[in-house]
Amino acid sequence: MTIYNFSAGPAVLPHEVLQQAREELLDWHGSGMSVMEMSHRGKEFMGIAAAAESDLRGLLAIPTNYKVLFLQGGAHLQFAMIPLNLLRGKSSADYVNTGEWSKKAIAEAKKFSNVNIVASGADKNFINVPAFDTWQCDPNAAYLHYTSNETIGGVEFNWVPETGGIPLVADMSSNIISRQIDVSKYGLIYAGAQKNIGPAGLCIVIVREDLIGHVSPSTPTMLDYKIHADNESMYNTPPTYGIYMAGLVFQWLKRNGGLAQMEQTNISKANLLYQAIDASNGFYNCPVVKSDRSRMNVPFTLKDASLDGEFLKQADTHGLLQLKGHRSVGGMRASIYNAMPLEGVQTLVDFITHFAKQHG
Ligand SMILES: *Cc1c(COP(=O)(O)O)cnc(C)c1O
C-alpha cells in the first residue's frame, strides 16, 4: 500500500529526493564521506551550499541585491530577529493578524517594539484575509509583517500588500516555493524549512541588503543578519545536512518545470480537494472563505464530530496519515505541500467521498 503523509510539518519530502539522499548517504560523489561528516568549510560542502543557494535564487528569481541566509532557530527565532534588525531606530512596526502564526509573531515583536495591528481576522474567527481597503497602516512603521499562509487556519494571501515604500516582511514558512512570487516587492521573506523545503533545523531568510547592518550594539552576534550575510551563513556551523537536503529539493523542482509547473500542480491538487469537500452536502465543511483558501493546508470538519475518530482510523488503514487537525481548531487538516503528489490528493478525495456515502 502506498502511504500518503498529510502532516503539517515536518512534512512529506519528494520520494525521488529521499532515494537520492539514501544513495549518497555513505559516500557523497566519491568523496568517501557522508555529507553529515564533512567540514562546513571544506570544498565539497561549500560547493553543496553554493549550489543550493544558486538554485533557490534561480527558482525564485531573487534579485542580486538580496542576501539568502541559511539559519537555525526556525521561524520562531525570526519573530525576534526581524524587529531586532529591521526597526532601524524606528519605534513601531505594522502587523497583520490572520491567525495563529501572526499572533505568535506579534507577541514576540511586542518585546522589542510598539506593534500596530493594521487589520485582524479575529472578529470573523480567522476565516479570511481582511480586505486591504480596511487596513490602518502607519506611514512611519519600520516594516509591515504578514503571514502569507496560515498553516493552522488554512488562510492564504493570493495577493501581495502594497506598502508604498515600507519594507514588506512575510512569513512564508508554509507556502514558500509553492507558487511564483515577485521577490522585489519584499524587504524580507523567511521560512522554516520543514514544511516545503526539507528537514527541520534550517530556516531560510531572503533579505534586501539595505535592511541589514542596523542593529544596536547590544544585539547578540548570532541575531545580527549582517554577521550571517558577511560570513555566507558560515559564521558558525550551519545545519549542513538540512542545507544539502534543501538543495536536492531545489534540484527536484528545477527538473520538474520549476515554480510555474509546481504552482499549476498545487492549484489542481487544492481544487480537487476543496471541490470534494464542497460537494459533500455539508457532511464536510471548510470554514475558510473561498477566495482566501490555502493551497497548502486544507482544514475541514465533519458535521458529526463524533465520527472524527472513526474517520481517522479508517484513513490510517487506507494509508492516509496525519490528517488530525491542529489541537486549537480540531477536525481535520490535509497539508498538501509540493511533495504531495496529485495521486495522494486523489486517493484522499476517493476516501472522503466513500466515507461520506457510508456515514451520510
Ligand atoms: C511552522 C510555522 C512556524 C514555526 O516554525 P518553527 O520552525 O517551528 O519555528 C511559523 N510560521 C508558520 C507560518 C509556520 O507554518
Side-chain angles (χ1 to χ4, degrees):
M1 182 175 58
T2 311
I3 296 294
Y4 293 109
N5 171 13
F6 294 93
S7 168
V12 59
L13 286 166
H15 195 70
E16 257 174 77
V17 164
L18 292 174
Q19 273 176 328
Q20 185 179 351
R22 179 176 64 187
E23 276 154 29
E24 296 178 347
L25 184 66
L26 298 185
D27 179 7
W28 184 82
H29 295 200
S31 64
M33 283 180 287
S34 174
V35 174
M36 275 183 255
E37 304 170 299
M38 289 175 180
S39 163
H40 58 296
R41 304 195 192 280
K43 72 174 187 319
E44 289 95 346
F45 185 76
M46 299 275 276
I48 289 170
E53 174 174 341
S54 138
D55 286 340
L56 180 63
R57 283 184 177 277
L59 285 167
L60 284 171
I62 301 174
T64 51
N65 62 324
Y66 285 73
K67 296 287 187 191
V68 174
L69 307 177
F70 295 127
L71 306 180
Q72 301 184 60
H76 275 85
L77 188 56
Q78 295 311 309
F79 296 162
M81 279 178 80
I82 286 160
L84 281 168
N85 284 264
L86 264 51
L87 279 170
R88 295 163 295 139
K90 295 194 178 243
S91 60
S92 185
D94 279 356
Y95 278 73
V96 187
N97 182 7
T98 49
E100 296 300 317
W101 289 115
S102 301
K103 284 193 242 172
K104 281 208 145 181
I106 289 165
E108 190 72 359
K110 282 184 174 165
K111 295 188 171 191
F112 308 98
S113 173
N114 297 318
V115 169
N116 171 44
I117 308 294
V118 304
S120 171
D123 53 347
K124 295 213 172 85
N125 209 16
F126 298 114
I127 55 158
N128 71 335
V129 175
F132 188 57
D133 58 12
T134 67
W135 292 21
Q136 315 247 306
C137 296
D138 168 5
N140 293 312
Y143 58 88
L144 184 145
H145 177 285
Y146 78 109
T147 309
S148 59
N149 182 62
E150 286 283 358
T151 321
I152 295 172
V155 168
E156 182 170 12
F157 277 75
N158 286 303
W159 46 279
V160 180
E162 290 293 340
T163 50
I166 296 200
L168 183 61
V169 175
D171 178 355
M172 292 196 186
S173 292
S174 51
N175 70 347
I176 193 165
I177 61 173
S178 70
R179 61 200 296 155
Q180 293 179 292
I181 55 167
D182 180 354
V183 173
S184 73
K185 292 196 164 160
Y186 294 87
L188 185 149
I189 292 167
Y190 65 104
Q194 69 273 22
K195 284 36 183 281
N196 223 3
I197 296 176
L202 168 67
C203 181
I204 291 185
V205 172
I206 302 165
V207 56
R208 214 174 63 212
E209 278 168 357
D210 61 287
L211 295 175
I212 62 181
H214 308 285
V215 298
S216 80
S218 63
T219 306
T221 309
M222 282 293 287
L223 303 188
D224 181 356
Y225 291 131
K226 188 163 175 13
I227 292 289
H228 296 289
D230 288 351
N231 291 281
E232 304 197 318
S233 303
M234 299 217 190
Y235 174 73
N236 74 325
T237 316
T240 52
Y241 202 74
I243 293 170
Y244 159 73
M245 288 296 292
L248 296 188
V249 170
F250 301 150
Q251 288 172 19
W252 170 79
L253 276 166
K254 278 176 70 179
R255 283 198 301 278
N256 289 284
L259 297 191
Q261 180 56 51
M262 195 71 248
E263 178 163 5
Q264 288 312 314
T265 308
N266 285 333
I267 291 171
S268 304
K269 281 153 51 184
N271 284 346
L272 190 62
L273 184 49
Y274 284 116
Q275 274 162 18
I277 292 166
D278 292 341
S280 70
N281 285 321
F283 189 88
Y284 303 107
N285 177 51
C286 170
V288 181
V289 303
K290 286 192 179 167
S291 58
D292 302 335
R293 285 178 171 180
S294 170
R295 293 176 188 165
M296 296 283 101
N297 310 96
V298 181
F300 61 97
T301 53
L302 277 64
K303 187 157 95 187
D304 178 0
S306 71
L307 288 172
D308 284 4
E310 181 61 19
F311 179 95
L312 289 166
K313 205 173 94 191
Q314 283 199 30
D316 262 30
T317 66
H318 285 76
L320 304 165
L321 307 184
Q322 307 270 3
L323 285 164
K324 196 172 168 37
H326 190 269
R327 59 188 185 280
S328 65
V329 286
M332 308 300 154
R333 173 176 48 171
S335 295
I336 52 174
Y337 299 119
N338 286 356
M340 173 58 62
L342 186 63
E343 305 83 76
V345 178
Q346 185 62 58
T347 308
L348 175 62
V349 163
D350 293 345
F351 169 73
I352 70 169
T353 309
H354 180 70
F355 188 87
K357 273 208 193 96
Q358 262 185 330
H359 296 89

